[in-house]
Amino acid sequence: MSVADLDEQQHRLVLTAHPLQRVGAYALAELAGAEEPEKVTPEGFNTAVAKMTADAIRAAKVRDTKRPEGFWLKVSLSFFPNSKMNHNAQLKKSDEELAAGIRAWRSPPEPASWPGVRCVLCGREAVGFYGKVDVPLAESHLYRNTTPRGHAGLALCWPCVCSFHALPYGCRLTGGPSIALHSWDERFLARVVSRQVERNHQHIVLGRAADKIPAREVVALHALRHYGERLTAGVELLVFSNNNKGQTLEIHSLEQPLAEWLRKTARRPELRQGFAALLRAHAGPKSPGVVGLARNAFHDPERIPAACARYLADRFDRSGLVPSDAADLAGLCSSFAIEVMWMKENDLAEIKATAHGVALLLSRETSAGKLREFHSTLKDPGRMQAWLRTRAVEWTLNPPEGADRPLLGSRAFQLLFDTGSDNRAWFHRQLLFVAVLEELHRLGWRPADGAAVAKEITEEDQPLGEDDTKYLQGEESL
C-alpha cells in the first residue's frame, strides 16, 4: 500500500462491531456534515477532529468543573480521565501550554512510531496502543478498560481512536454516568445520534449543564416514539462511566418487537389514543407513568399488561364503575400480545370469547360484588379455574340467549391454566381480566352500588400527572 493510500485510510471512518465506536463514528460524521460515517471525506474528517479539539481546549481553559461553564470539563472525566484535557498537572499550565498538550493528544502519531499491527476493531493499520485515556470502556464490566501491567493496550487505527473521541457528542450527558443508545438498525442509530449531537451543542461548546432526566430508560422511550421509520433491529441502552472514582457499565436491551411496538404507540391512532391511559397505569405515588413504563419495557416487559390490569382493577374497586379508558387499554394489551408476545390471533380470540361470556354473565348483576370476586381470583389460579368451571356448567345447563359456544373452551382452558414452560398462563389471565372490563364497558354496565359512590365517579376523568402531561405535550409535534 502506498503512503498516500495509507494516509487516506487513516482519514476514513469504518463502522465496527463495537457499539460505542459505532455511536462515536456516527457522531463524528454529524460533526463532519456527512449523512453517514462511510461518506465522511478526509477533509470532513479533519474538520470534525478540529472541532472536537477546539471544544476540548475551550473546556480545559475553564479549569474548574464547579464553574457554571465547566459542565463539559466535568463530563470529560467520565470519558477521558487523566487526559491532557483534565489532568490536574495539565490544568496548572498556561493557556498556550494547555492547548498545545491537547492538540498533541488529539493528533495522530507519526508513522515511524506505529506498532506494525492491525487495529483490533477494523483490521486496518494501527497507529498505536490505547487505553483508558482514549477508550471509555471495554465490552463488559468484567473488563474495566484498565490496561494490565506490561500490556500496551488496544491496537487502534486513528479513525477508530477519533470515533471514541467523538462518542460524548452522541451521548446523553448527565454529569455522571452517560447514556448511549445503540442499534444495528443503521437509520435509527444515525437519526438518534444526529439529534443528540445537535442537542449537545450547548453542553459541549458552551459548557452549559444538561437538564436532569427522570430516568435513563426514558431517554430510550423518547427516542423510539420520535422515530418515524419502522425499526428493523432491537435497541440497547448503555449507561457507562469511565471515571476514576467508579467505572460502570450497564447494558439494557429491548428486543425489536417491543421497541417497534413502543414506537407505534406514538404513530398508530388506535394505539396512540390509549397511551395517556398507559401512562396513568404506570404512574406511582412518587414517579410519573413515563418512568414506570420505560423501566418495565427494559427490565420486565410482561409487567406492562399486568400494570394495565392492576390499574383498571384498582379504579373499579374505588368507584364500582368500569373505567372509561378500559377499552383503550384493552386495545393496547391485545396489540402487545400479538406484536410483542407473538401470541397467535386464534388464541387471543379464544381469550376474548371467554371474556365476552364472563362479561355477559356479570352484566346481569346489579352489584359490583361479583366482578370484584372474579378479580380476586387473579391471585389464585385454582380459584379462577373453579370460578370459571362452575359458571361454565351453569352456562351449559342454562345458556344465555344467543349463546352459540361454551363459556370456556378447551383451548381457552389450556391458555389460562396450563403450567407448561411454553405457555404464559399468568399473562393470559391478566389479558382475560382486561378483556372482561373492555366487554363490560362496551355493554355499558353500571352496577347500582357503583353509581352511588359519587366521589369516586369523578375519578373516571382523573388527569395525568404533571410530568406525564409535559411528556405528552412534548410529543405534539409527532
Side-chain angles (χ1 to χ4, degrees):
M1 183 177 291
S2 68
V3 174
D5 290 341
L6 201 58
D7 183 67
E8 166 88 3
Q9 195 180 72
Q10 294 297 332
H11 290 80
R12 290 284 187 183
L13 289 174
V14 172
L15 290 172
T16 72
H18 195 303
L20 295 183
Q21 186 273 341
R22 285 166 50 80
V23 173
Y26 273 104
L28 200 152
E30 179 68 18
L31 292 171
E35 294 180 358
E36 54 192 71
E38 289 85 351
K39 293 184 178 179
V40 175
T41 63
E43 294 75 21
F45 181 87
N46 286 333
T47 298
V49 171
K51 285 181 183 176
M52 294 191 296
T53 303
D55 291 343
I57 291 173
R58 187 184 306 109
K61 287 181 178 177
V62 176
R63 289 186 170 79
D64 185 353
T65 60
K66 296 180 181 178
R67 286 174 56 180
E69 65 273 31
F71 181 71
W72 174 220
L73 183 61
K74 176 183 177 182
V75 169
S76 72
L77 293 167
S78 296
F79 284 90
F80 317 114
N82 305 327
S83 71
K84 300 290 185 183
M85 181 179 177
N86 50 45
H87 194 281
N88 285 338
Q90 298 297 323
L91 299 181
K92 293 175 182 176
K93 295 181 177 178
S94 67
D95 284 357
E96 292 71 19
E97 291 173 322
L98 188 57
I102 292 173
R103 289 194 189 95
W105 169 42
R106 292 296 178 93
S107 298
E110 292 297 329
S113 68
W114 293 2
V117 297
R118 297 289 178 181
C119 173
V120 296
L121 297 183
C122 71
R124 294 179 295 182
E125 190 78 13
V127 299
F129 293 103
Y130 294 86
K132 183 181 178 68
V133 172
D134 296 276
V135 185
L137 278 172
E139 186 176 358
S140 163
H141 71 283
L142 297 175
Y143 301 91
R144 292 288 190 179
N145 199 34
T146 50
T147 306
R149 184 172 298 175
H151 193 285
L154 290 173
L156 295 174
C157 67
W158 188 239
C160 283
V161 174
C162 291
S163 295
F164 286 115
H165 288 168
L167 174 63
Y169 293 81
C171 294
R172 180 64 184 257
L173 306 175
T174 70
S178 298
I179 301 166
L181 281 179
H182 174 259
S183 175
W184 298 105
D185 183 327
E186 303 295 344
R187 287 189 303 179
F188 174 76
L189 185 57
R191 181 71 59 84
V192 167
V193 172
S194 171
R195 287 179 172 171
Q196 195 61 60
V197 171
E198 184 179 341
R199 291 193 190 99
N200 279 344
H201 182 264
Q202 289 191 334
H203 308 315
I204 292 180
V205 175
L206 304 179
R208 291 179 182 171
D211 295 332
K212 292 184 178 179
I213 55 174
R216 56 194 57 168
E217 294 88 349
V218 174
V219 174
L221 180 62
H222 184 80
L224 287 170
R225 288 178 56 80
H226 279 75
Y227 184 58
E229 307 293 332
R230 180 181 180 276
L231 275 165
T232 59
V235 173
E236 291 177 321
L237 178 70
L238 298 101
V239 185
F240 63 94
S241 173
N242 199 30
N243 196 306
N244 287 334
K245 295 181 179 178
Q247 295 176 336
T248 60
L249 172 61
E250 297 175 27
I251 301 176
H252 308 287
S253 301
L254 277 183
E255 298 292 335
Q256 186 273 340
L258 178 55
E260 175 63 8
W261 183 80
L262 289 169
R263 190 191 70 81
K264 286 180 180 176
T265 56
R267 302 286 165 179
R268 282 185 4 200
E270 71 276 17
L271 298 182
R272 182 165 184 159
Q273 185 175 347
F275 190 73
L278 190 63
L279 294 182
R280 284 195 290 271
H282 284 84
K286 296 182 179 179
S287 65
V290 66
V291 172
L293 173 61
R295 286 178 171 165
N296 275 349
F298 272 99
H299 303 292
D300 198 348
E302 292 191 21
R303 287 181 178 272
I304 292 176
C308 295
R310 185 171 57 251
Y311 162 77
L312 293 175
D314 288 346
R315 292 189 64 193
F316 175 78
D317 282 343
R318 287 201 305 272
S319 68
L321 295 172
V322 177
S324 59
D325 49 13
D328 291 338
L329 280 179
L332 279 171
C333 288
S334 295
S335 169
F336 184 90
I338 296 293
E339 298 176 31
V340 179
M341 308 295 285
W342 298 98
M343 188 175 183
K344 295 178 182 176
E345 293 195 19
N346 288 344
D347 288 343
L348 179 61
E350 286 290 333
I351 297 287
K352 287 195 169 187
T354 302
H356 173 74
V358 171
L360 197 60
L361 291 175
L362 292 174
S363 66
R364 296 171 176 174
E365 302 289 338
T366 57
S367 168
K370 291 297 181 184
L371 178 56
R372 289 195 175 97
E373 177 186 304
F374 176 66
H375 172 245
S376 69
T377 67
L378 268 180
K379 301 176 182 177
D380 186 344
R383 283 186 58 216
M384 177 180 278
Q385 190 179 130
W387 194 96
L388 284 172
R389 195 167 54 234
T390 300
R391 270 69 184 178
V393 172
E394 295 172 358
W395 178 286
T396 302
L397 296 176
N398 184 23
E401 184 178 351
D404 58 355
R405 56 173 293 153
L407 175 66
L408 184 63
S410 58
R411 180 56 182 162
F413 185 89
Q414 184 181 24
L415 290 168
L416 293 170
F417 303 114
D418 185 351
T419 57
S421 59
D422 59 343
N423 182 49
R424 295 185 172 98
W426 178 82
F427 170 72
H428 296 151
R429 291 193 291 272
Q430 300 282 343
L431 203 57
L432 173 68
F433 179 71
V434 174
V436 166
L437 290 179
E438 179 188 22
E439 280 294 306
L440 288 172
H441 179 267
R442 189 181 63 80
L443 293 169
W445 181 60
R446 299 178 71 88
D449 52 353
V453 192
K455 179 181 177 182
E456 285 79 2
I457 290 176
T458 59
E459 293 186 8
E460 285 248 56
D461 299 319
Q462 74 178 40
L464 280 173
E466 182 180 353
D467 291 335
D468 289 331
T469 299
K470 288 181 180 177
Y471 180 83
L472 285 182
Q473 288 174 344
E475 293 189 340
E476 287 180 351
S477 60
L478 287 175

